[in-house]
Amino acid sequence: MGNQVSHQSYAEVPTVDPNGADPDHGSRIGVSYIFSNDDDEDELDEEAPNPEEKLYSRGEEVECAVYHRDECVYEKRSGPEVYSPENLLNKCEAGDLVEFVATGQYPHWAVYVGDFQVVHLHRAEVKSSFLTDASQGRRCRIVNDLYRFRALSPDAVVQNAVEQVGLKDRELSWRNSECFAAWCRFARREFKMGVEIRIGKQPYQLKVYLSDKRSHVLEFQSLEDVVMEKRRNDHLGRTAVCRELWAHGRRSSLPRADSTPP
């Protein structure tokens, strides 16, 4: 996709009805990521000298919500304001969740633990780094309120994060940096790998907002699958997601091979 941004309007995407249901097939079943990692591991290199500031476009953010049955457990609409790492340090408090963002890259999450440092899952290892080093040229923001679970006390969040430093590879219980950071703050077992059984109905829904009146819904069997799909959308960006859903809408409207012609 590069740095070129299409100016196609989401209001023009003929994908779903205003309630988020495909009129022909209902909600789509999402992909299972049981054998996959996303992740932002190739995007971040803390050893790289003097990383250049990376492109960030608020217009490329994908707005969405996550539901567990009928309860909204996550929502991002016009995401929180972003700052340079140096400016964010003046706003952070121990226990805050920090998200590093750049257009065309996976978001990277970390837990701010005080003294200008964060703990984060990076390259299959839980590490302690200076926030400015972990940013690697990305913009950043505090994202405590995106997930709607009840948070632990700041001291407990920091303790959860610090106690994991040094874990790596097969010792890890989290598929990506977001699941790790969210687990530290909320202690929800659903953020860990393989905890939820992927059998039967899909209790989770990812609702992608295309416009004020249109949305697209995918169903999943686990929260970690929802997080992986949400992060994939963040990586692609709004324009690419728009095109993908538009293409799906066109395929859905084509007659099936076994259908009887009129």
Side-chain angles (χ1 to χ4, degrees):
M1 182 171 62
N3 295 335
Q4 296 181 351
V5 177
S6 167
H7 295 287
Q8 183 179 16
S9 169
Y10 263 48
E12 299 171 2
V13 183
T15 309
V16 291
D17 72 8
N19 294 320
D22 186 314
D24 296 324
H25 305 289
S27 300
R28 295 169 58 201
I29 304 301
V31 173
S32 174
Y33 290 89
I34 190 169
F35 298 117
S36 303
N37 290 317
D38 27 55
D39 194 350
D40 48 345
E41 303 203 344
D42 292 332
E43 310 285 1
L44 277 169
D45 183 2
E46 292 182 21
E47 286 73 36
N50 302 320
E52 296 181 358
E53 182 174 346
K54 296 178 173 61
L55 176 68
Y56 166 76
S57 171
R58 182 177 290 274
E60 277 296 287
E61 294 235 32
V62 179
E63 297 183 342
C64 65
V66 176
Y67 290 84
H68 181 244
R69 298 188 170 91
D70 295 327
E71 180 184 3
C72 182
V73 297
Y74 173 101
E75 187 172 35
K76 181 173 71 175
R77 301 295 299 267
S78 62
E81 187 173 353
V82 299
Y83 302 91
S84 68
E86 293 78 13
N87 287 337
L88 190 74
L89 282 172
N90 297 324
K91 303 177 182 296
C92 278
E93 297 181 356
D96 284 345
L97 299 188
V98 176
E99 182 184 41
F100 304 102
V101 292
T103 299
Q105 296 187 6
Y106 287 103
H108 188 73
W109 285 48
V111 179
Y112 184 73
V113 296
D115 295 327
F116 312 114
Q117 295 195 345
V118 295
V119 171
H120 58 138
L121 175 57
H122 171 50
R123 295 193 173 180
E125 182 178 356
V126 179
K127 300 179 179 181
S128 178
S129 309
F130 285 108
L131 186 149
T132 49
D133 292 337
S135 71
Q136 282 298 291
R138 302 178 186 210
R139 307 289 284 179
C140 45
R141 59 192 174 194
I142 297 171
V143 288
N144 294 338
D145 299 326
L146 293 185
Y147 284 100
R148 297 186 174 182
F149 301 120
R150 183 175 180 177
L152 303 178
S153 69
D155 288 344
V157 176
V158 171
Q159 180 178 351
N160 275 346
V162 171
E163 287 180 348
Q164 316 312 315
V165 172
L167 292 183
K168 62 176 64 175
D169 300 324
R170 294 186 179 183
E171 299 172 323
L172 298 171
S173 299
W174 310 273
R175 200 172 293 277
N176 53 57
S177 61
E178 180 172 341
C179 285
F180 168 72
W183 174 83
C184 290
R185 183 169 175 85
F186 304 108
R188 302 283 300 205
R189 59 193 293 272
E190 295 93 328
F191 287 110
K192 291 189 172 184
M193 287 189 289
V195 168
E196 295 180 286
I197 299 176
R198 291 175 169 87
I199 298 177
K201 294 183 179 180
Q202 289 76 25
Y204 292 94
Q205 290 187 328
L206 173 63
K207 187 172 188 176
V208 179
Y209 296 109
L210 307 178
S211 70
D212 290 340
K213 295 184 178 180
R214 291 185 175 183
S215 60
H216 186 81
V217 174
L218 287 171
E219 297 182 345
F220 295 88
Q221 292 179 323
S222 71
L223 181 59
E224 65 171 325
D225 283 343
V226 179
V227 173
M228 293 284 284
E229 178 70 13
K230 179 176 69 65
R231 290 171 59 79
R232 186 189 77 92
N233 288 346
D234 289 335
H235 181 210
L236 291 174
R238 185 176 179 182
T239 300
V241 170
C242 171
R243 289 173 176 164
E244 184 178 87
L245 294 181
W246 178 81
H248 165 74
R250 290 196 62 185
R251 289 194 301 270
S252 298
S253 65
L254 294 175
R256 298 181 181 178
D258 60 350
S259 63
T260 303

